[in-house]
Amino acid sequence: MLITIIIILAVLSGLSFAYGAHRAKVWEDSKQRLSSRPGHYAWYAVIKFTVPSWLLLFAALLLKTTKIAVISPAVVLACSALLVIAGFIISSKKFSPLLNARVIVEKHIRYLLIAASLVSILTTVGIVFSILFEAIIFFKHVNVIDFLTGTSWNPDTAFLEGAGRESEHAAKPEFGSAPIFAGTFMITLISLSVSVPVGLFAAIFLSEYASNNFRKVFKPVLEILAGIPTVVYGFFAALTVSPLVVKVAGFFGLQADYTNALAPGLVMGIMIIPFISSLSDDVINAVPQSLREGGLALGTTKSETIKQIILPAAMPGIVSAILLAVSRAVGETMIVVMAAGLRPNLTWNPLEGMTTVTVQIVDALTGDQAFDSLATLSAFGLGLVLLIFTFIINLVSTYIVRRYRKIYE
């Protein structure tokens, strides 16, 4: 029934468009002076005749999805038909060459753009609250300080408490997240140590030294790295880089696990290079040519111009590119699962296995425990802390961007 209503409204919208276009063509053929383009009259007919019915259908679906109320499809269809008829009767009387349809159409387009902007904002707010409510339930049972400072993560026996079997001789669940966040920061730092210098140097070369023909070929090839699925990077890290890390470590007399943090960090850094190089290249190219010419006119060399003038001028965009890379590294899961393992391990040694926040979130939500068990709810606790961390990064980036923008604008 829903599909039927959508098809009917789509057909009516098409007929309304054709009606408006036909009326405008008749006026044009009779040499009447129109206040708007013919296309504006066609879209005016669509807006006045069928848009209220589309809004009614959307509201009915929203109420049903949120389980606030269920409106019968027959009622929706009947009300939609009445709205179309009412819109046709009322609005067709206003149809005339003097009608400024352009203003009305553009006003509704502005409403559409505002609604599109609100979708992303409301989605973000919904995500925050969905995590927050579940995290509050988790932190009612687990102390926040113990969660943030604890060094042992072992939630497997949490189901015993949920089943009222906590008196059984089993170890109590432990939710110390320090090893998980330490693993996240370790792998992120390793990946940034690879991606930031390589990506930035590649961007400088492409924008300042490479010829246009070379740049047209090399930049798309570099950006192909961003389109490779992360599971492929995971295979590369687990089957190629990790054994290589073990062999190199053994050559220097060190012992490395096959599931170590260094291999996924290096591969993740390679994966992130296109994010930094492509965005930084665009930002550096956007620096006004007059700044380059002014620096060279004052007697600076090309390298001095890049270091003293171009890079500081492009710094806000470069910082944004690096922070995008940080977000990408923090949120990566597949490479870490395949190459670093699932073991929470608080260590400074990147040759040992460790895990990250996103991996533990996936592990908690895909486990065999009930959704209301502490083991599952711990995913929301981790997600909330990760969300706050990301929010702080965005605040810092905003401060840096505004600071440099004040100087160079």
Side-chain angles (χ1 to χ4, degrees), residues 242-260:
S242 282
L244 184 62
V245 168
V246 172
K247 288 182 180 178
V248 172
F251 178 79
F252 289 101
L254 301 173
Q255 183 176 1
D257 299 338
Y258 275 94
T259 53
N260 56 75

mmCIF file of all heavy atoms in Angstrom, residues 242-260:
data_model
loop_
_atom_site.group_PDB
_atom_site.id
_atom_site.type_symbol
_atom_site.label_atom_id
_atom_site.label_comp_id
_atom_site.label_asym_id
_atom_site.label_seq_id
_atom_site.Cartn_x
_atom_site.Cartn_y
_atom_site.Cartn_z
ATOM 1 N N SER A 242 53.222 -7.812 8.972
ATOM 2 C CA SER A 242 53.499 -8.380 10.297
ATOM 3 C C SER A 242 54.652 -9.383 10.279
ATOM 4 O O SER A 242 55.573 -9.285 11.111
ATOM 5 C CB SER A 242 52.239 -9.047 10.848
ATOM 6 O OG SER A 242 51.366 -8.084 11.350
ATOM 7 N N PRO A 243 54.667 -10.378 9.348
ATOM 8 C CA PRO A 243 55.842 -11.264 9.300
ATOM 9 C C PRO A 243 57.146 -10.502 9.033
ATOM 10 O O PRO A 243 58.198 -10.856 9.571
ATOM 11 C CB PRO A 243 55.510 -12.210 8.144
ATOM 12 C CG PRO A 243 54.026 -12.212 8.071
ATOM 13 C CD PRO A 243 53.622 -10.815 8.422
ATOM 14 N N LEU A 244 57.058 -9.443 8.205
ATOM 15 C CA LEU A 244 58.251 -8.653 7.933
ATOM 16 C C LEU A 244 58.737 -7.944 9.201
ATOM 17 O O LEU A 244 59.940 -7.883 9.470
ATOM 18 C CB LEU A 244 57.942 -7.628 6.836
ATOM 19 C CG LEU A 244 59.114 -6.782 6.355
ATOM 20 C CD1 LEU A 244 60.180 -7.675 5.729
ATOM 21 C CD2 LEU A 244 58.616 -5.739 5.341
ATOM 22 N N VAL A 245 57.782 -7.419 9.994
ATOM 23 C CA VAL A 245 58.148 -6.767 11.252
ATOM 24 C C VAL A 245 58.812 -7.762 12.192
ATOM 25 O O VAL A 245 59.821 -7.452 12.851
ATOM 26 C CB VAL A 245 56.891 -6.144 11.910
ATOM 27 C CG1 VAL A 245 57.190 -5.719 13.343
ATOM 28 C CG2 VAL A 245 56.407 -4.958 11.100
ATOM 29 N N VAL A 246 58.284 -8.986 12.249
ATOM 30 C CA VAL A 246 58.870 -10.011 13.124
ATOM 31 C C VAL A 246 60.299 -10.335 12.684
ATOM 32 O O VAL A 246 61.220 -10.447 13.511
ATOM 33 C CB VAL A 246 57.996 -11.283 13.102
ATOM 34 C CG1 VAL A 246 58.689 -12.416 13.856
ATOM 35 C CG2 VAL A 246 56.640 -11.000 13.724
ATOM 36 N N LYS A 247 60.511 -10.456 11.363
ATOM 37 C CA LYS A 247 61.859 -10.771 10.863
ATOM 38 C C LYS A 247 62.847 -9.641 11.129
ATOM 39 O O LYS A 247 63.976 -9.866 11.561
ATOM 40 C CB LYS A 247 61.791 -11.056 9.356
ATOM 41 C CG LYS A 247 61.125 -12.376 9.015
ATOM 42 C CD LYS A 247 61.145 -12.621 7.504
ATOM 43 C CE LYS A 247 60.461 -13.951 7.176
ATOM 44 N NZ LYS A 247 60.411 -14.194 5.718
ATOM 45 N N VAL A 248 62.401 -8.390 10.899
ATOM 46 C CA VAL A 248 63.291 -7.246 11.123
ATOM 47 C C VAL A 248 63.618 -7.125 12.609
ATOM 48 O O VAL A 248 64.766 -6.861 12.997
ATOM 49 C CB VAL A 248 62.631 -5.955 10.588
ATOM 50 C CG1 VAL A 248 63.447 -4.737 10.986
ATOM 51 C CG2 VAL A 248 62.484 -6.031 9.082
ATOM 52 N N ALA A 249 62.594 -7.326 13.464
ATOM 53 C CA ALA A 249 62.833 -7.256 14.901
ATOM 54 C C ALA A 249 63.804 -8.359 15.330
ATOM 55 O O ALA A 249 64.716 -8.127 16.140
ATOM 56 C CB ALA A 249 61.514 -7.374 15.653
ATOM 57 N N GLY A 250 63.641 -9.575 14.758
ATOM 58 C CA GLY A 250 64.552 -10.656 15.086
ATOM 59 C C GLY A 250 65.968 -10.363 14.629
ATOM 60 O O GLY A 250 66.940 -10.735 15.297
ATOM 61 N N PHE A 251 66.118 -9.659 13.496
ATOM 62 C CA PHE A 251 67.449 -9.295 12.994
ATOM 63 C C PHE A 251 68.179 -8.387 13.988
ATOM 64 O O PHE A 251 69.397 -8.470 14.149
ATOM 65 C CB PHE A 251 67.301 -8.585 11.654
ATOM 66 C CG PHE A 251 68.593 -8.119 11.062
ATOM 67 C CD1 PHE A 251 69.437 -9.014 10.399
ATOM 68 C CD2 PHE A 251 68.979 -6.784 11.166
ATOM 69 C CE1 PHE A 251 70.640 -8.575 9.859
ATOM 70 C CE2 PHE A 251 70.182 -6.351 10.628
ATOM 71 C CZ PHE A 251 71.006 -7.243 9.966
ATOM 72 N N PHE A 252 67.419 -7.529 14.661
ATOM 73 C CA PHE A 252 68.022 -6.632 15.656
ATOM 74 C C PHE A 252 67.982 -7.223 17.066
ATOM 75 O O PHE A 252 68.254 -6.527 18.040
ATOM 76 C CB PHE A 252 67.286 -5.291 15.662
ATOM 77 C CG PHE A 252 67.552 -4.462 14.438
ATOM 78 C CD1 PHE A 252 66.622 -4.402 13.408
ATOM 79 C CD2 PHE A 252 68.747 -3.763 14.307
ATOM 80 C CE1 PHE A 252 66.867 -3.655 12.274
ATOM 81 C CE2 PHE A 252 69.000 -3.008 13.168
ATOM 82 C CZ PHE A 252 68.062 -2.951 12.139
ATOM 83 N N GLY A 253 67.651 -8.498 17.195
ATOM 84 C CA GLY A 253 67.642 -9.153 18.499
ATOM 85 C C GLY A 253 66.428 -8.837 19.344
ATOM 86 O O GLY A 253 66.459 -9.020 20.564
ATOM 87 N N LEU A 254 65.357 -8.384 18.735
ATOM 88 C CA LEU A 254 64.133 -8.064 19.468
ATOM 89 C C LEU A 254 63.079 -9.131 19.202
ATOM 90 O O LEU A 254 63.118 -9.813 18.177
ATOM 91 C CB LEU A 254 63.597 -6.688 19.043
ATOM 92 C CG LEU A 254 64.549 -5.506 19.253
ATOM 93 C CD1 LEU A 254 63.958 -4.250 18.647
ATOM 94 C CD2 LEU A 254 64.823 -5.293 20.732
ATOM 95 N N GLN A 255 62.161 -9.254 20.116
ATOM 96 C CA GLN A 255 61.080 -10.227 19.938
ATOM 97 C C GLN A 255 59.789 -9.483 19.618
ATOM 98 O O GLN A 255 59.401 -8.555 20.333
ATOM 99 C CB GLN A 255 60.904 -11.058 21.212
ATOM 100 C CG GLN A 255 59.837 -12.148 21.048
ATOM 101 C CD GLN A 255 59.740 -13.022 22.283
ATOM 102 O OE1 GLN A 255 60.452 -12.817 23.262
ATOM 103 N NE2 GLN A 255 58.856 -14.005 22.235
ATOM 104 N N ALA A 256 59.120 -9.897 18.570
ATOM 105 C CA ALA A 256 57.870 -9.246 18.156
ATOM 106 C C ALA A 256 56.784 -10.294 17.990
ATOM 107 O O ALA A 256 57.053 -11.401 17.505
ATOM 108 C CB ALA A 256 58.077 -8.489 16.851
ATOM 109 N N ASP A 257 55.580 -9.947 18.391
ATOM 110 C CA ASP A 257 54.431 -10.833 18.170
ATOM 111 C C ASP A 257 53.968 -10.713 16.718
ATOM 112 O O ASP A 257 54.121 -9.663 16.084
ATOM 113 C CB ASP A 257 53.280 -10.455 19.101
ATOM 114 C CG ASP A 257 53.662 -10.596 20.567
ATOM 115 O OD1 ASP A 257 54.617 -11.352 20.850
ATOM 116 O OD2 ASP A 257 53.028 -9.925 21.411
ATOM 117 N N TYR A 258 53.364 -11.792 16.221
ATOM 118 C CA TYR A 258 52.809 -11.712 14.866
ATOM 119 C C TYR A 258 51.585 -10.788 14.821
ATOM 120 O O TYR A 258 51.246 -10.227 13.785
ATOM 121 C CB TYR A 258 52.462 -13.104 14.349
ATOM 122 C CG TYR A 258 53.647 -13.799 13.739
ATOM 123 C CD1 TYR A 258 54.433 -14.662 14.500
ATOM 124 C CD2 TYR A 258 54.006 -13.576 12.419
ATOM 125 C CE1 TYR A 258 55.532 -15.285 13.955
ATOM 126 C CE2 TYR A 258 55.098 -14.187 11.860
ATOM 127 C CZ TYR A 258 55.869 -15.049 12.630
ATOM 128 O OH TYR A 258 56.977 -15.657 12.076
ATOM 129 N N THR A 259 50.902 -10.674 15.959
ATOM 130 C CA THR A 259 49.833 -9.662 16.049
ATOM 131 C C THR A 259 50.394 -8.502 16.876
ATOM 132 O O THR A 259 50.255 -8.453 18.096
ATOM 133 C CB THR A 259 48.591 -10.245 16.732
ATOM 134 O OG1 THR A 259 48.970 -10.819 17.993
ATOM 135 C CG2 THR A 259 47.935 -11.286 15.866
ATOM 136 N N ASN A 260 51.041 -7.592 16.212
ATOM 137 C CA ASN A 260 51.671 -6.461 16.891
ATOM 138 C C ASN A 260 51.021 -5.155 16.454
ATOM 139 O O ASN A 260 50.258 -5.115 15.478
ATOM 140 C CB ASN A 260 53.171 -6.433 16.596
ATOM 141 C CG ASN A 260 53.448 -6.401 15.101
ATOM 142 O OD1 ASN A 260 53.270 -5.379 14.458
ATOM 143 N ND2 ASN A 260 53.862 -7.556 14.538
#
